[in-house]
Amino acid sequence: MNSGRYNLVSKEAKKKPTIITVNGVKIGNSKLAIIAGPCAVESYEQMDKVAKALSSMGVKFLRGGAFKPRTNPYAFQGLGLEGLNILRRVADKYKMAVVTEIPDLRDLDVIINKTDILQIGARNMQNSQLLKEVGRSKKPVILKRGMNSTVEEFLLAAEYILSNGNPNVILCERGIRTFEKETRNTLTLATIPLVKELSHLPIIVDPSHGLGKKSLIEPMTKAAIACGADGFMIEVHPNPEKALSDSKQQFTPSEFKKMLKNLKTIAKAVGKTL
Amino acid sequence: MNSGRYNLVSKEAKKKPTIITVNGVKIGNSKLAIIAGPCAVESYEQMDKVAKALSSMGVKFLRGGAFKPRTNPYAFQGLGLEGLNILRRVADKYKMAVVTEIPDLRDLDVIINKTDILQIGARNMQNSQLLKEVGRSKKPVILKRGMNSTVEEFLLAAEYILSNGNPNVILCERGIRTFEKETRNTLTLATIPLVKELSHLPIIVDPSHGLGKKSLIEPMTKAAIACGADGFMIEVHPNPEKALSDSKQQFTPSEFKKMLKNLKTIAKAVGKTL
Amino acid sequence: MNSGRYNLVSKEAKKKPTIITVNGVKIGNSKLAIIAGPCAVESYEQMDKVAKALSSMGVKFLRGGAFKPRTNPYAFQGLGLEGLNILRRVADKYKMAVVTEIPDLRDLDVIINKTDILQIGARNMQNSQLLKEVGRSKKPVILKRGMNSTVEEFLLAAEYILSNGNPNVILCERGIRTFEKETRNTLTLATIPLVKELSHLPIIVDPSHGLGKKSLIEPMTKAAIACGADGFMIEVHPNPEKALSDSKQQFTPSEFKKMLKNLKTIAKAVGKTL
Amino acid sequence: MNSGRYNLVSKEAKKKPTIITVNGVKIGNSKLAIIAGPCAVESYEQMDKVAKALSSMGVKFLRGGAFKPRTNPYAFQGLGLEGLNILRRVADKYKMAVVTEIPDLRDLDVIINKTDILQIGARNMQNSQLLKEVGRSKKPVILKRGMNSTVEEFLLAAEYILSNGNPNVILCERGIRTFEKETRNTLTLATIPLVKELSHLPIIVDPSHGLGKKSLIEPMTKAAIACGADGFMIEVHPNPEKALSDSKQQFTPSEFKKMLKNLKTIAKAVGKTL
């Protein structure tokens, strides 16, 4: 494998691992980044409930979809700007950082002012116009791997952002599409050590979308930590059964708390903390 | 298979096949639509040469990429607006219709005024914001299947456009990504009769991108016609070896002319004409 | 593509296309080979009924599974030797050639004496012991492409048979496994012109297994003929709804007769006959 | 997911995890099974050297291919019976158990007498005749997942063995074939917790074949242990650069020793020992 295919994202360009600081919290060092929250922002009450619980567990990053790109045009598309405002108010209340997806570059100015970390979703990983604009901002960004993208294309997408001036990229493995039908996607954890060989960028994992099955999330998060992930993003909803999307893969806050406890020994075994 | 998954794109919603008229030429009837031109607009001379040749063969649709979304940020990204202007001037000179890709919805207004058919590329098939905006325009649009998209997702992407008010959608099969390495993508022609069962929309094929290998394009275009395609889009360049992109899959005008001749008997065998 | 990867199967080794004669009927020339019959031999009455009908349409090759390798150990596994005897008797009665699968090389001697063409199924395409033994016999053999096999592996499997002394190999494309869910497999017809470039061996198509959906079989058989297939193998059952396997993809004899009629103009358009 | 698809392999049939005893060593309990040795048996000296080293590290299972099914008919096919005899003698010398692949059921009697664990390779996972015969023996068997097989088909293959009378099945995840090109196969570790939900059978992982890249083996073995694997099988060769096959993925004994040391804390973190 010739990492000479890459320029700014490569280890040749920068030997030391990139550490990104958001609201005073570091991503990419020995403390694992934990990003949690519901698939979609549904109401102030929902967000307040979940943020309160997460914040009491020490979680510093609150996620929630305000603008939801969906496969089906008749499916719930998110609360939009109203959702983003809720997310911001609640995060401020609990001193958390906001992570939210930017599906449309026309909304970039609005979203950039209200979020701490931008997220580029899997469907947009090869939207080069969006990559360039996000590159021109200096906002920290989570770049999710496209479902049909090779690791090479994933790193080249990050190269778009870096080459436009933004070094604050956090890669996120979330599974690829294969013939397997038991899980929603096929979570390919080998991406983590592979990226660590090729690049200085931090990489986290999103097992909720990668698996789509609640019972597999804890063991696969353990696996991701064991092979070197810098953090993880998990869907947590105060009442998953009533969620407007992804109801089968979201944890309740108490399930999530239990899982965090179980992850501690694995983190310690690889020299990290939660 | 339950076509009840779809609404406006389904045969239940509209029994008769949709026929779309562009510049007085119909797409979706028994005359096959032929769309040809280079991968990228490179210069006025290049476009003039190819358009002159194509127009003399009776080709009515001139394609050419002005804005090129690329995997690698350092690869040639197209001439942009200058390329679009060249495309328009040349097409007008030879009385052809323009087909060009819209990679970024911020450019929609500019492009919509200069093109006759918008093209949504494979990487943008699930860019729901772009689908909605193109839906709000009434411009005819070629929607290419995403490399990792199921036929269901392909039809739901078309549903986005129709449900926003634009009935003028031409689907385009261009292959999916599989483990096979001999061809650039795996051209899945069964999509054509499948779409004909489920939907009233016309569907064409793009064997250039679906195969990436010149010698396979003629036999596979024959196959596409045999199983019901409403037309085809082929890359033709005056000097493929010097092309700035996709040099291995572009035909010369004389190769293309020869191929068109060979397609005639197949077209006739299924009751169609070129 | 370097066809130097192959030896005896390559065009370098033998320029002229291989034509295989079975019971006086040639496979690989301008007359398309038609192989038809039920998925599984179920009874003498069933086989007699279908063979009578097929023979009256001019079909010369009767297929039927006697030994059925199945994914589920509790599914119907075929009538075994009894089924093979029925197949032989019925084929003799109607002067047809027998095509049947050899799932286990311990049965090779028994099957070889009762069949005219051996079939190696997709699950066995990389069973190198079976390939070698079939290579040591001189029996004509239909080698089906494995569901997860590349074209390179497909040709190397044929190389196993040729290099053990048997030149009578008929390749059979039957689709690969992908993420698409609308069809049972993804029928990849580009294999046909690709194989014609690389090898002198004849290649036929099996759309029944490649698609698993009756309505798509006729258009895709047309497509296969259009891009150069030397024949096709279709499942025909006197009463598909009561079939013990593959009930959704089998034709009735009268449906098959109608399809054959519709294929004639396509065959003629590429200089072939049925 | 309805585990009612399975019978004897399911948790409904047997609640307690299956523990298999081979030469007095248990597989499936809290001590991880370690299986190591070269891809192919090449000589007595090679095997003696590697077995001596492995045995000194406490490894109890010695693997080595005597009969090698290969994609290319001209590639090295193994030493056959001579290789098997070497394997047996060396294992006896160091009091290790033998693990070897059975590629051809005609060799079953010979191999069964000389091995302690049979291995069914990925290419044979759906060879139902072989599964049945191995089922009729009571020999412990490692069943590798086919490269194109779903988890459902993998468990149904095990069901073939159990339903023929052999309960001693150890499943082995070794990756599937996808579009990704950086690794030889795509290692899908979610199979491990998924199988643990559905079945009582032990499951190990083969990262050497699943990845084909030495540097990824240690992190991915850690990940496999973290998500619940009962053991692992790794290729170790005294001189990988001179190996007759798989030279890029084999460890030297000293590299392997170092890796085992690094795995200890992960094993401990999930309540297991090496």
Coordinates of all heavy atoms in Angstrom, one line a residue, chain A residues 129-184:
Chain A
Q129 N -18.4 19.6 -3.4 CA -18.7 21.0 -3.1 C -18.8 21.3 -1.6 O -18.3 22.2 -1.1 CB -19.9 21.5 -3.8 CG -20.0 21.2 -5.3 CD -18.8 21.8 -6.1 OE1 -18.4 22.9 -5.8 NE2 -18.2 21.0 -7.0
L130 N -19.5 20.3 -1.0 CA -19.7 20.4 0.5 C -18.3 20.3 1.2 O -18.0 21.0 2.1 CB -20.7 19.4 1.0 CG -21.0 19.4 2.4 CD1 -21.6 20.7 2.9 CD2 -22.0 18.2 2.7
L131 N -17.5 19.3 0.7 CA -16.2 19.1 1.3 C -15.3 20.4 1.2 O -14.7 20.8 2.2 CB -15.5 17.9 0.7 CG -16.1 16.5 0.8 CD1 -15.4 15.5 -0.1 CD2 -16.2 16.1 2.2
K132 N -15.4 21.0 0.1 CA -14.6 22.2 -0.1 C -15.0 23.3 0.8 O -14.2 24.0 1.4 CB -14.7 22.7 -1.6 CG -13.9 21.9 -2.6 CD -14.1 22.4 -4.0 CE -13.6 21.5 -5.0 NZ -14.0 21.9 -6.4
E133 N -16.3 23.5 0.9 CA -16.8 24.6 1.7 C -16.5 24.4 3.2 O -16.1 25.3 3.9 CB -18.4 24.8 1.6 CG -18.8 25.4 0.2 CD -18.2 26.8 0.0 OE1 -18.1 27.6 1.0 OE2 -17.8 27.1 -1.1
V134 N -16.7 23.1 3.6 CA -16.4 22.8 5.0 C -14.9 23.0 5.2 O -14.4 23.4 6.3 CB -16.9 21.4 5.4 CG1 -16.3 20.9 6.7 CG2 -18.4 21.4 5.4
G135 N -14.1 22.7 4.2 CA -12.7 22.9 4.3 C -12.3 24.4 4.4 O -11.4 24.7 5.2
R136 N -13.1 25.3 3.8 CA -12.8 26.7 3.9 C -13.1 27.2 5.3 O -12.5 28.2 5.7 CB -13.6 27.5 2.8 CG -12.8 27.5 1.5 CD -13.6 28.0 0.3 NE -13.1 27.3 -0.9 CZ -13.8 26.8 -1.9 NH1 -15.2 26.9 -1.8 NH2 -13.3 26.1 -2.9
S137 N -14.1 26.6 5.9 CA -14.3 27.0 7.3 C -13.2 26.3 8.1 O -12.5 25.5 7.6 CB -15.7 26.5 7.8 OG -15.6 25.2 8.3
K138 N -13.1 26.7 9.4 CA -12.1 26.0 10.2 C -12.7 25.1 11.2 O -12.1 24.6 12.2 CB -11.1 27.0 10.9 CG -10.3 27.8 9.9 CD -9.3 27.1 9.2 CE -8.5 27.9 8.1 NZ -9.3 28.2 6.9
K139 N -14.0 24.9 11.1 CA -14.8 24.2 12.1 C -14.4 22.7 12.2 O -14.2 22.1 11.1 CB -16.3 24.2 11.6 CG -17.3 24.1 12.7 CD -17.4 25.4 13.5 CE -18.4 25.3 14.6 NZ -18.5 26.6 15.3
P140 N -14.3 22.2 13.4 CA -14.0 20.7 13.5 C -15.1 20.0 12.8 O -16.3 20.4 12.8 CB -14.0 20.5 15.0 CG -13.6 21.8 15.6 CD -14.2 22.8 14.7
V141 N -14.8 18.9 12.1 CA -15.8 18.2 11.3 C -15.6 16.7 11.5 O -14.5 16.2 11.4 CB -15.7 18.6 9.8 CG1 -14.3 18.4 9.2 CG2 -16.7 17.8 9.0
I142 N -16.7 16.0 11.7 CA -16.7 14.5 11.6 C -17.1 14.1 10.2 O -18.2 14.4 9.8 CB -17.7 13.9 12.7 CG1 -17.2 14.2 14.1 CG2 -17.9 12.4 12.4 CD1 -18.1 13.8 15.2
L143 N -16.2 13.4 9.6 CA -16.5 12.9 8.2 C -16.8 11.4 8.2 O -15.9 10.6 8.6 CB -15.2 13.1 7.3 CG -15.3 12.6 5.9 CD1 -16.3 13.4 5.1 CD2 -13.9 12.7 5.2
K144 N -18.0 11.1 7.9 CA -18.4 9.7 7.9 C -18.1 9.0 6.6 O -18.2 9.6 5.6 CB -19.9 9.6 8.2 CG -20.3 10.0 9.6 CD -21.7 9.8 9.9 CE -21.9 8.7 11.0 NZ -23.3 8.4 11.3
R145 N -17.7 7.8 6.7 CA -17.3 7.0 5.6 C -18.6 6.6 4.8 O -19.6 6.2 5.3 CB -16.7 5.7 6.0 CG -16.3 4.8 4.8 CD -15.7 3.5 5.3 NE -15.3 2.7 4.2 CZ -14.7 1.5 4.3 NH1 -14.5 1.0 5.5 NH2 -14.4 0.8 3.2
G146 N -18.6 6.8 3.5 CA -19.7 6.5 2.6 C -19.9 4.9 2.6 O -18.9 4.2 2.7
M147 N -21.1 4.5 2.5 CA -21.4 3.1 2.5 C -20.8 2.3 1.4 O -20.7 1.1 1.5 CB -22.9 2.9 2.4 CG -23.7 2.9 3.7 SD -25.4 2.4 3.4 CE -26.0 3.8 2.4
N148 N -20.5 3.0 0.3 CA -19.9 2.2 -0.8 C -18.5 2.7 -1.1 O -17.9 2.5 -2.2 CB -20.7 2.4 -2.1 CG -20.5 3.8 -2.7 OD1 -20.3 4.8 -1.9 ND2 -20.4 3.9 -4.0
S149 N -17.9 3.4 -0.1 CA -16.6 4.0 -0.3 C -15.4 3.1 0.1 O -15.5 2.5 1.2 CB -16.5 5.3 0.4 OG -17.5 6.2 -0.2
T150 N -14.4 3.0 -0.6 CA -13.2 2.4 -0.2 C -12.5 3.3 0.8 O -12.7 4.5 1.0 CB -12.2 2.1 -1.4 OG1 -11.9 3.4 -1.9 CG2 -12.9 1.3 -2.4
V151 N -11.5 2.7 1.6 CA -10.7 3.4 2.5 C -10.0 4.5 1.8 O -9.8 5.7 2.2 CB -9.8 2.5 3.3 CG1 -8.8 3.3 4.1 CG2 -10.6 1.6 4.2
E152 N -9.5 4.2 0.6 CA -8.8 5.2 -0.3 C -9.7 6.4 -0.5 O -9.3 7.6 -0.4 CB -8.3 4.6 -1.6 CG -7.5 5.5 -2.4 CD -7.0 4.9 -3.7 OE1 -7.4 3.8 -4.0 OE2 -6.2 5.6 -4.4
E153 N -10.9 6.2 -1.0 CA -11.8 7.3 -1.2 C -12.2 8.1 0.0 O -12.4 9.3 0.0 CB -13.1 6.8 -1.9 CG -12.9 6.2 -3.3 CD -14.0 5.4 -3.8 OE1 -14.9 4.9 -3.0 OE2 -14.1 5.1 -5.0
F154 N -12.2 7.4 1.1 CA -12.5 8.0 2.4 C -11.4 9.0 2.8 O -11.6 10.2 3.1 CB -12.6 6.9 3.5 CG -13.0 7.2 4.9 CD1 -13.8 8.3 5.1 CD2 -12.7 6.4 5.9 CE1 -14.3 8.6 6.4 CE2 -13.2 6.6 7.2 CZ -13.9 7.8 7.5
L155 N -10.1 8.6 2.6 CA -9.0 9.4 2.9 C -8.9 10.6 1.9 O -8.5 11.7 2.3 CB -7.7 8.6 3.0 CG -7.6 7.8 4.3 CD1 -6.4 6.9 4.2 CD2 -7.6 8.6 5.6
L156 N -9.3 10.3 0.7 CA -9.2 11.4 -0.3 C -10.3 12.4 -0.1 O -10.1 13.6 -0.4 CB -9.4 10.8 -1.8 CG -8.1 10.1 -2.3 CD1 -8.4 9.4 -3.6 CD2 -6.9 11.1 -2.5
A157 N -11.4 12.0 0.5 CA -12.5 12.9 0.9 C -12.0 13.9 2.0 O -12.2 15.1 2.0 CB -13.7 12.2 1.3
A158 N -11.2 13.2 2.9 CA -10.6 14.1 4.0 C -9.6 15.0 3.4 O -9.5 16.2 3.8 CB -10.0 13.2 5.1
E159 N -8.9 14.6 2.4 CA -7.9 15.4 1.7 C -8.5 16.6 1.1 O -7.9 17.7 1.1 CB -7.2 14.5 0.6 CG -6.0 15.2 -0.1 CD -4.7 15.1 0.7 OE1 -4.4 14.2 1.4 OE2 -4.0 16.1 0.6
Y160 N -9.7 16.5 0.6 CA -10.5 17.7 0.1 C -10.6 18.7 1.2 O -10.4 19.9 1.0 CB -11.9 17.3 -0.3 CG -12.1 17.1 -1.8 CD1 -12.1 15.8 -2.4 CD2 -12.3 18.2 -2.6 CE1 -12.3 15.7 -3.7 CE2 -12.5 18.0 -4.0 CZ -12.5 16.8 -4.5 OH -12.7 16.6 -5.9
I161 N -11.0 18.3 2.4 CA -11.2 19.3 3.5 C -9.8 19.9 3.9 O -9.7 21.1 4.0 CB -11.9 18.6 4.7 CG1 -13.2 18.0 4.2 CG2 -12.1 19.5 5.9 CD1 -13.9 17.1 5.3
L162 N -8.8 19.1 4.1 CA -7.5 19.6 4.5 C -6.9 20.5 3.5 O -6.4 21.6 3.8 CB -6.5 18.5 4.8 CG -6.5 18.0 6.3 CD1 -7.8 17.2 6.6 CD2 -5.3 17.2 6.6
S163 N -7.1 20.1 2.2 CA -6.4 20.9 1.2 C -7.1 22.3 0.9 O -6.6 23.2 0.3 CB -6.4 20.1 -0.2 OG -7.6 19.9 -0.6
N164 N -8.3 22.4 1.5 CA -9.0 23.7 1.5 C -8.8 24.5 2.8 O -9.4 25.5 3.0 CB -10.5 23.5 1.2 CG -10.7 23.3 -0.3 OD1 -10.7 24.3 -1.1 ND2 -10.8 22.1 -0.8
G165 N -7.9 24.0 3.6 CA -7.5 24.8 4.8 C -8.0 24.4 6.1 O -7.6 25.0 7.1
N166 N -8.7 23.3 6.2 CA -9.3 22.9 7.6 C -8.6 21.6 8.0 O -8.9 20.5 7.5 CB -10.8 22.7 7.4 CG -11.4 22.5 8.8 OD1 -10.7 22.2 9.8 ND2 -12.7 22.5 8.8
P167 N -7.7 21.7 9.0 CA -7.0 20.5 9.5 C -7.8 19.7 10.5 O -7.4 18.6 10.9 CB -5.8 21.1 10.1 CG -6.2 22.4 10.7 CD -7.3 22.9 9.8
N168 N -9.0 20.2 10.9 CA -9.7 19.6 12.1 C -10.7 18.5 11.7 O -11.9 18.6 11.9 CB -10.4 20.7 12.9 CG -9.4 21.8 13.3 OD1 -8.4 21.4 14.0 ND2 -9.7 23.0 13.0
V169 N -10.2 17.5 11.1 CA -11.0 16.4 10.6 C -11.0 15.2 11.5 O -9.9 14.7 11.8 CB -10.7 16.0 9.2 CG1 -11.5 14.8 8.7 CG2 -10.8 17.2 8.2
I170 N -12.1 14.7 11.9 CA -12.3 13.4 12.7 C -12.9 12.4 11.7 O -14.1 12.6 11.3 CB -13.1 13.6 13.9 CG1 -12.5 14.7 14.8 CG2 -13.3 12.3 14.7 CD1 -13.5 15.6 15.5
L171 N -12.3 11.4 11.4 CA -12.9 10.3 10.5 C -13.8 9.5 11.3 O -13.6 9.3 12.5 CB -11.8 9.5 9.9 CG -10.7 10.2 9.0 CD1 -9.5 9.3 8.8 CD2 -11.4 10.7 7.7
C172 N -14.8 9.0 10.7 CA -15.8 8.1 11.4 C -16.2 6.9 10.5 O -16.8 7.0 9.5 CB -17.0 8.9 11.8 SG -18.3 7.9 12.7
E173 N -15.8 5.7 11.0 CA -16.1 4.5 10.3 C -17.6 4.1 10.7 O -17.9 4.1 11.9 CB -15.2 3.4 10.7 CG -15.6 2.0 10.4 CD -15.6 1.7 8.8 OE1 -14.7 2.2 8.1 OE2 -16.7 1.2 8.4
R174 N -18.4 3.8 9.7 CA -19.8 3.5 10.1 C -20.3 2.3 9.3 O -21.5 2.1 9.2 CB -20.7 4.7 9.9 CG -20.6 5.5 8.7 CD -21.3 4.9 7.5 NE -22.8 5.1 7.7 CZ -23.6 4.2 7.4 NH1 -23.3 3.1 6.9 NH2 -24.9 4.4 7.6
G175 N -19.4 1.5 8.7 CA -19.9 0.3 8.0 C -20.1 0.5 6.5 O -20.4 1.6 6.1
I176 N -20.0 -0.6 5.8 CA -20.2 -0.6 4.4 C -21.4 -1.5 4.0 O -21.9 -2.3 4.8 CB -19.0 -1.0 3.6 CG1 -18.5 -2.4 4.0 CG2 -17.9 0.0 3.8 CD1 -17.4 -2.9 3.1
R177 N -21.8 -1.4 2.8 CA -22.9 -2.2 2.3 C -22.4 -3.5 1.6 O -21.5 -3.4 0.8 CB -23.7 -1.4 1.3 CG -24.9 -2.1 0.7 CD -25.8 -1.1 -0.1 NE -26.7 -0.5 0.8 CZ -27.7 0.3 0.3 NH1 -27.8 0.6 -0.9 NH2 -28.5 0.9 1.2
T178 N -22.9 -4.6 2.1 CA -22.5 -5.9 1.5 C -23.7 -6.7 1.4 O -24.8 -6.3 1.6 CB -21.5 -6.6 2.5 OG1 -22.2 -7.1 3.6 CG2 -20.3 -5.8 2.9
F179 N -23.5 -8.0 1.0 CA -24.6 -8.9 0.8 C -25.2 -9.4 2.1 O -26.3 -9.9 2.1 CB -24.2 -10.1 0.0 CG -23.0 -10.9 0.6 CD1 -23.3 -11.8 1.6 CD2 -21.8 -10.8 0.1 CE1 -22.2 -12.5 2.2 CE2 -20.7 -11.5 0.7 CZ -20.9 -12.3 1.7
E180 N -24.5 -9.2 3.2 CA -25.0 -9.7 4.5 C -26.3 -9.0 4.9 O -26.5 -7.8 4.8 CB -24.0 -9.5 5.6 CG -24.4 -9.9 7.0 CD -24.7 -11.4 7.1 OE1 -23.8 -12.2 6.8 OE2 -25.9 -11.8 7.4
K181 N -27.3 -9.8 5.4 CA -28.6 -9.2 5.7 C -28.9 -9.2 7.2 O -29.9 -8.6 7.6 CB -29.7 -10.0 5.0 CG -29.6 -9.9 3.5 CD -30.5 -10.9 2.8 CE -29.9 -12.3 3.0 NZ -30.6 -13.3 2.3
E182 N -28.1 -9.8 8.1 CA -28.4 -9.8 9.5 C -28.2 -8.5 10.1 O -28.9 -8.2 11.1 CB -27.6 -10.9 10.2 CG -27.8 -12.3 9.8 CD -29.1 -12.8 10.2 OE1 -29.7 -12.4 11.2 OE2 -29.6 -13.7 9.5
T183 N -27.3 -7.7 9.6 CA -27.0 -6.4 10.2 C -27.3 -5.3 9.1 O -27.3 -5.6 7.9 CB -25.6 -6.3 10.6 OG1 -24.7 -6.7 9.6 CG2 -25.3 -7.1 11.9
R184 N -27.7 -4.2 9.5 CA -28.0 -3.1 8.6 C -26.9 -2.8 7.6 O -27.1 -2.6 6.5 CB -28.4 -1.9 9.5 CG -28.8 -0.7 8.7 CD -29.5 0.3 9.6 NE -29.4 1.7 9.1 CZ -29.9 2.7 9.7 NH1 -30.6 2.6 10.9 NH2 -29.7 3.9 9.2

